[in-house]
Amino acid sequence: MNNFSSFFLLISIFLIQDCWASIVSTGDFNKDFFVTWSPSHVNTSIDGHSRSLVLDKDSGSGFASNDMFLFGQFDMKIKLVPGNSAGTVVAFYLTSNQPNRDELDFEFLGNVDGQPYTLQTNVYANGFDEREQRIKLWFDPTKDFHTYSILWNLYQIVFMVDWVPIRTYRNHADKGVAYPRWQPMSVQASFWDGESWATNGGKDKIDWSKAPFVASFKDHKIDACVWKGNEGSCSDESPTNWWNNERFNSLTWAQRRLFKWVKKYHVTYDYCQDYHRFNNTLPKECLLSKY
């Protein structure tokens, strides 16, 4: 059985046997988010269920959730810029916006025409980052919408693409590893000029003759604890806070196989393998369990 056949078999098993709790909240962009950057570059459908961000020479664009959250699951369907998108960065992320910020990032790094996007994930915990991982996706993210998700609970953070876990970051706070667990975070998206670093180390610049560039978002789903100064209630293991229940304290066996598949065939950079960057002393979590 080839890699793709094995992959889709695992997907089927995962969806049948390990389907997560049903989504209880769906949103309208106009009701759930406000524009943070350049309203003239943000376009929303009449029904509020889809939104596009525009990047041109004048400006990038962005939006953020009205609420802050502490733990939950956050899904966004995104379709990226086709053709020559070199130098552009589309981001979907959670952030506390504090000096010692916690942040969980999806960053889509554009590429020259004919070359694949790079998906970079990053974790900030108590103001510390340098935890980048990069993968090449197993599909063309410019052809259609795909679902990008972050599960964040007391035990782990899981980055998922179409329900496939591509990265985990476990709560090893008891071993001295910083973990986002105290600061509420908002859901944000932005589209900006990253040509100084995003593509080929900054060698491939934005071709502004191709502008305006458009990234599309739709069908966001937020199932999370809304922050009202209620750290205790957000940390409860209750039916309402399903993401904190024991079932979600680690990857399932099917998820682990998918996770290993991504690591083997699609990861192109992992800070936990960059001995040169860390002078042969890797961050502590690199030596601890991933699930």
Side-chain angles (χ1 to χ4, degrees):
M1 185 179 291
N2 62 37
N3 292 330
F4 282 99
S5 298
S6 300
F7 169 71
F8 286 113
L9 175 60
L10 284 168
I11 283 287
S12 299
I13 294 171
F14 173 62
L15 291 176
I16 293 170
Q17 294 187 356
D18 293 287
C19 182
W20 289 9
S22 60
I23 297 296
V24 296
S25 62
T26 62
D28 180 328
F29 280 96
N30 290 318
K31 295 178 181 178
D32 296 340
F33 296 91
F34 65 96
V35 175
T36 57
W37 183 15
S38 191
S40 64
H41 288 57
V42 180
N43 301 304
T44 308
S45 64
I46 294 175
D47 65 6
H49 287 280
S50 63
R51 172 167 286 179
S52 62
L53 295 180
V54 176
L55 170 68
D56 59 23
K57 266 193 169 182
D58 294 327
S59 181
S61 49
F63 58 86
S65 61
N66 294 320
D67 291 315
M68 304 283 284
F69 307 94
L70 188 65
F71 306 126
Q73 183 163 310
F74 310 85
D75 306 329
M76 184 73 76
K77 291 184 179 180
I78 305 173
K79 184 165 68 171
L80 299 173
V81 179
N84 188 348
S85 57
T88 69
V89 179
V90 176
F92 167 55
Y93 57 105
L94 309 180
T95 182
S96 65
N97 285 327
Q98 298 298 319
N100 59 331
R101 79 182 187 271
D102 292 337
E103 187 168 300
L104 310 175
D105 298 334
F106 278 110
E107 293 178 310
F108 303 89
L109 312 183
N111 214 332
V112 296
D113 198 4
Q115 296 300 311
Y117 262 83
T118 291
L119 171 53
Q120 175 171 285
T121 55
N122 198 4
V123 174
Y124 287 73
N126 197 31
F128 296 97
D129 65 335
E130 295 190 329
R131 293 180 169 93
E132 300 93 343
Q133 186 181 92
R134 293 184 175 189
I135 72 168
K136 297 296 186 184
L137 296 165
W138 50 93
F139 54 83
D140 184 344
T142 72
K143 297 294 187 182
D144 203 351
F145 286 90
H146 291 267
T147 303
Y148 303 90
S149 307
I150 299 171
L151 171 68
W152 169 38
N153 62 29
L154 292 167
Y155 313 102
Q156 62 176 348
I157 295 159
V158 184
F159 294 85
M160 294 174 282
V161 176
D162 291 336
W163 316 118
V164 175
I166 64 165
R167 179 178 180 179
T168 63
Y169 186 84
R170 288 201 63 75
N171 185 350
H172 290 300
D174 60 333
K175 299 177 178 67
V177 177
Y179 184 82
R181 54 182 174 152
W182 310 115
Q183 299 185 69
M185 294 194 273
S186 64
V187 182
Q188 301 197 25
S190 57
F191 192 13
W192 43 282
D193 175 354
E195 69 174 11
S196 64
W197 64 275
T199 309
N200 195 17
K203 295 178 182 177
D204 294 317
K205 305 298 184 181
I206 294 177
D207 181 355
W208 291 111
S209 71
K210 306 296 184 184
F213 303 100
V214 179
S216 302
F217 303 76
K218 72 174 185 177
D219 298 343
H220 67 278
K221 297 176 182 178
I222 299 172
D223 201 357
C225 185
V226 177
W227 174 257
K228 296 180 181 179
N230 52 344
E231 188 274 329
S233 61
C234 285
S235 298
D236 288 345
E237 296 182 33
S238 65
T240 302
N241 296 348
W242 59 262
W243 46 85
N244 284 333
N245 291 339
E246 185 177 359
R247 182 184 178 192
F248 302 98
N249 67 5
S250 185
L251 299 184
T252 66
W253 72 267
Q255 287 178 306
R256 293 178 190 190
R257 292 190 67 183
L258 290 167
F259 179 80
K260 291 176 181 177
W261 176 82
V262 171
K263 185 174 182 179
K264 182 175 182 179
Y265 294 105
H266 297 280
V267 172
T268 60
Y269 174 82
D270 185 348
Y271 76 103
C272 279
Q273 297 177 354
D274 195 341
Y275 289 90
H276 176 74
R277 179 180 185 181
F278 296 104
N279 296 316
N280 291 319
T281 304
L282 294 175
K284 188 178 294 185
E285 69 271 12
C286 294
L287 307 177
L288 300 172
S289 64
K290 299 293 187 292
Y291 44 77

